[in-house]
Amino acid sequence: MALIVHKYGGTSMGSTERIRNVAKRVAKWARAGHRMVVVPSAMSGETNRLLGLAKELAPAKPTTPYNRELDMLASTGEQASSALLAIALQSEGVQAVSYTGWQMGVQTDSSYTKARIERIDDERVRADLDAGRVVVVTGFQGVDELGNITTLGRGGSDTSAVAIAAAMKADECLIYTDVDGVYTTDPRVEPDARRLAKISFEEMLEMASLGSKVLQIRSVEFAGKYRVPLRVLSSFTPWDIDINEEAVSGTLITFEEDETMEQAVVSGIAFSRDEAKISVLGVPDKPGIAYHILGAVADANIEVDVIIQNLSKDGKTDFSFTVNRAEFARTVDLLKTKVLPTLGAADIVGDTKICKVSIVGIGMRSHVGVASKMFRVLSEEGINIQMISTSEIKTSVVIDEKYMELAVRALHKAFDLDQPAN
């Protein structure tokens, strides 16, 4: 009798009819003898609706007390969907009880709107499971040491589900979404994208960090740290699909690098439109310059991605890096007001019409010439590469945003990702 954690996204919980279907699916697993913990998101659109109301009333400058109230407000979306799911399960003749994150004992730090889980007390849930109940736990939230409700940030229900699965040593954590697994790339960009039966945690971590929206990156990090078996599958398959078929559907995110997985040099193409490039021109080429620029950016809690420093000429160099497009204006303002006056640089220029395209695959470790093939394919399409970043299992390039879809399709074909796996 396995302990299984199910997580359902907002679209899966989008109406009472969909909630009823989720309840029927969970009931099927419970009747098959599994001990079930279910983590639902808020009903689709509900969190945005609540935060929209807060925005209408917000103070001119957001403060910590304001962010505390945002968490109080946003957490109610998951509380409502959890209670509704428990009611739907009861109507199916299944014993069920719902808990908020604080009732479950999900302890977090006090970083309102983006809290991090520190520990989970699963004693109460285990007692319910032993009594034969299905336990429904609100995703996305917890409680800090002072008893304040906190939320984990966008996509936090994924992280909640994986953390609960880790704490309870679940046999598997099933993430039900509006897609039926992890694809070689976004099917909306490349219609020939293939669903992967398996992907390694390392590859999934890279895909999530590079723009794939299937799983929140923190949930993948959590799964990797605590070795939680994850499966991504669709909540829109019929609820009464055979449970043995359902249990092997979707994409398994695994720690095992079997021979089949190693045959694929590149497993997927990730991309991100949310990029902006900033170049600090005419920087004195001397020790400590990179820290002088990026230290101030890091202190402002702005995440930097690709970094390039050009060759020195006449004692000067150009220093370029990328940030999330939403942070572009704030970063430029910070550099102009706090860094440039003490740096002696000539100017700052920026470009918000760029994107990042990446190839990912554990097979890249043992194959040479993968990056050069990527560069050749882009060259043949007339696409200029502005910046390059590499790691052991990925190569990323920054290019003009207007060429993004062309680049993804060309690379997808060049690395045979449109071909069925062997």
Side-chain angles (χ1 to χ4, degrees):
M1 186 167 62
L3 171 57
I4 305 291
V5 175
H6 278 197
K7 183 267 172 177
Y8 292 90
T11 50
S12 309
M13 302 292 294
S15 66
T16 52
E17 186 57 37
R18 288 183 178 177
I19 291 172
R20 187 175 288 110
N21 285 335
V22 168
K24 289 178 182 296
R25 189 183 303 273
V26 173
K28 175 184 70 178
W29 281 75
R31 289 180 183 127
H34 298 298
R35 293 151 65 87
M36 299 297 299
V37 177
V38 188
V39 180
S41 296
M43 297 174 74
S44 56
E46 179 64 7
T47 302
N48 285 340
R49 185 187 73 83
L50 293 169
L51 295 180
L53 294 173
K55 192 173 182 180
E56 290 182 30
L57 303 168
K61 186 177 181 182
T63 60
T64 297
Y66 170 70
N67 286 334
R68 178 192 182 279
E69 300 310 323
L70 281 186
D71 280 2
M72 282 284 288
L73 178 67
S75 65
T76 63
E78 276 71 18
Q79 187 172 333
S81 63
S82 295
L84 289 169
L85 180 54
I87 290 168
L89 281 162
Q90 290 168 9
S91 74
E92 290 294 320
V94 174
Q95 293 185 67
V97 60
S98 70
Y99 291 125
T100 62
W102 64 266
Q103 288 174 316
M104 165 75 179
V106 179
Q107 296 287 324
T108 74
D109 62 18
S110 299
S111 302
Y112 300 119
T113 74
K114 53 182 177 182
R116 290 193 169 269
I117 296 173
E118 294 179 342
R119 65 186 181 278
I120 292 176
D121 178 5
D122 62 356
E123 184 177 346
R124 190 172 185 177
V125 173
R126 286 195 182 278
D128 280 311
L129 293 174
D130 290 343
R133 299 185 186 96
V134 170
V135 179
V136 184
V137 181
T138 54
F140 177 60
Q141 63 187 257
V143 61
D144 69 9
E145 62 180 0
L146 298 176
N148 297 303
I149 291 175
T150 57
T151 67
L152 309 181
R154 286 297 189 179
S157 292
D158 284 354
T159 306
S160 298
V162 175
I164 289 167
M168 302 193 69
K169 296 181 170 53
D171 294 275
E172 193 163 288
C173 180
L174 277 57
I175 308 287
Y176 286 87
T177 72
D178 52 2
V179 296
D180 62 348
V182 180
Y183 278 71
T184 49
T185 196
D186 189 335
R188 291 169 295 186
V189 172
E190 172 49 79
D192 290 332
R194 264 189 312 106
R195 181 175 60 80
L196 298 166
K198 286 183 181 179
I199 187 171
S200 74
F201 270 95
E202 288 178 273
E203 290 170 320
M204 192 66 240
L205 191 58
E206 290 285 9
M207 294 281 277
S209 69
L210 295 168
S212 174
K213 300 291 194 290
V214 177
L215 284 175
Q216 190 209 39
I217 185 170
R218 280 166 62 190
S219 69
V220 183
E221 289 172 344
F222 226 108
K225 182 177 180 180
Y226 295 101
R227 299 185 73 83
V228 178
L230 276 184
R231 186 177 294 275
V232 178
L233 62 172
S234 174
S235 63
F236 294 118
T237 55
W239 68 265
D240 56 354
I241 183 175
D242 182 84
I243 193 169
N244 295 313
E245 180 184 344
E246 185 173 7
V248 296
S249 65
T251 301
L252 177 65
I253 303 166
T254 177
F255 297 98
E256 305 301 325
E257 296 181 11
D258 61 29
E259 293 178 5
T260 305
M261 293 173 71
E262 288 177 2
Q263 287 174 6
V265 178
V266 172
S267 294
I269 313 285
F271 57 86
S272 172
R273 293 183 174 92
D274 303 325
E275 306 286 325
K277 182 174 75 170
I278 297 171
S279 297
V280 187
L281 308 178
V283 177
D285 190 12
K286 60 184 182 182
I289 284 300
Y291 172 71
H292 194 115
I293 297 170
L294 297 182
V297 174
D299 289 343
N301 202 27
I302 298 170
E303 188 174 341
V304 171
D305 189 12
V306 186
I307 304 169
I308 286 182
Q309 184 171 335
N310 294 335
L311 287 172
S312 177
K313 184 178 181 182
D314 301 325
K316 299 281 188 179
T317 186
D318 297 336
F319 191 89
S320 301
F321 58 95
T322 63
V323 297
N324 186 282
R325 197 173 294 180
E327 299 283 13
F328 174 75
R330 188 161 75 97
T331 308
V332 170
D333 181 63
L334 171 73
L335 293 173
K336 286 184 175 180
T337 57
K338 293 189 177 180
V339 177
L340 222 59
T342 60
L343 190 63
D347 197 11
I348 294 175
V349 296
D351 185 358
T352 58
K353 295 184 178 179
I354 62 163
C355 68
K356 180 172 65 178
V357 177
S358 311
I359 57 174
V360 177
I362 54 174
M364 293 170 65
R365 286 182 180 141
S366 54
H367 290 76
V368 297
V370 180
S372 62
K373 180 177 180 179
M374 179 187 195
F375 305 152
R376 174 178 59 78
V377 169
L378 295 177
S379 172
E380 289 171 352
E381 297 291 344
I383 300 172
N384 183 49
I385 298 172
Q386 301 180 26
M387 305 172 81
I388 301 169
S389 172
T390 65
S391 75
E392 196 177 25
I393 65 167
K394 66 99 176 174
T395 300
S396 299
V397 296
V398 172
I399 61 174
D400 192 309
E401 184 181 24
K402 67 184 178 183
Y403 295 121
M404 189 198 77
E405 294 192 6
L406 174 62
V408 169
R409 288 193 290 266
L411 291 169
H412 196 270
K413 184 174 180 60
F415 286 102
D416 298 322
L417 293 177
D418 54 343
Q419 302 300 315
N422 294 331

